[in-house]
Amino acid sequence: VDVFPNPFGSHLYLKQKREWIGQPLEWKLFHTTGQWVAEGQQVAGKSIAALFTNGATMAAGMYILQISCQGER
């Protein structure tokens, strides 16, 4: 699994495992302080999925992205 670009601006993309394509994907974004920032669910039909498009409105800093699919994180 690859997440890009780093650092991200308005968009954040996920290049997912082949086995995950067409499966429900959940993601959560946290600030390094542990504060929840955003979350979402989607089923991606391609190997690259756009997780969100509002990154430009987020404060500069470090974030932790948690991704789960088919019981795997």
Side-chain angles (χ1 to χ4, degrees), residues 3-67:
V3 179
F4 60 94
N6 184 11
F8 65 91
S10 60
H11 294 76
L12 181 63
Y13 297 97
L14 167 72
K15 182 177 180 183
Q16 57 191 347
K17 295 180 178 185
R18 185 174 300 162
E19 302 86 37
W20 289 8
I21 297 172
Q23 301 298 319
L25 174 79
E26 296 181 3
W27 60 270
K28 295 180 181 179
L29 188 68
F30 299 90
H31 192 272
T32 55
T33 61
Q35 179 184 7
W36 170 85
V37 177
E39 65 184 346
Q41 298 177 344
Q42 66 189 71
V43 174
K46 298 180 180 178
S47 62
I48 297 179
L51 295 184
F52 60 85
T53 58
N54 62 347
T57 63
M58 299 169 73
M62 293 180 62
Y63 293 89
I64 299 165
L65 179 64
Q66 178 182 339
I67 303 166

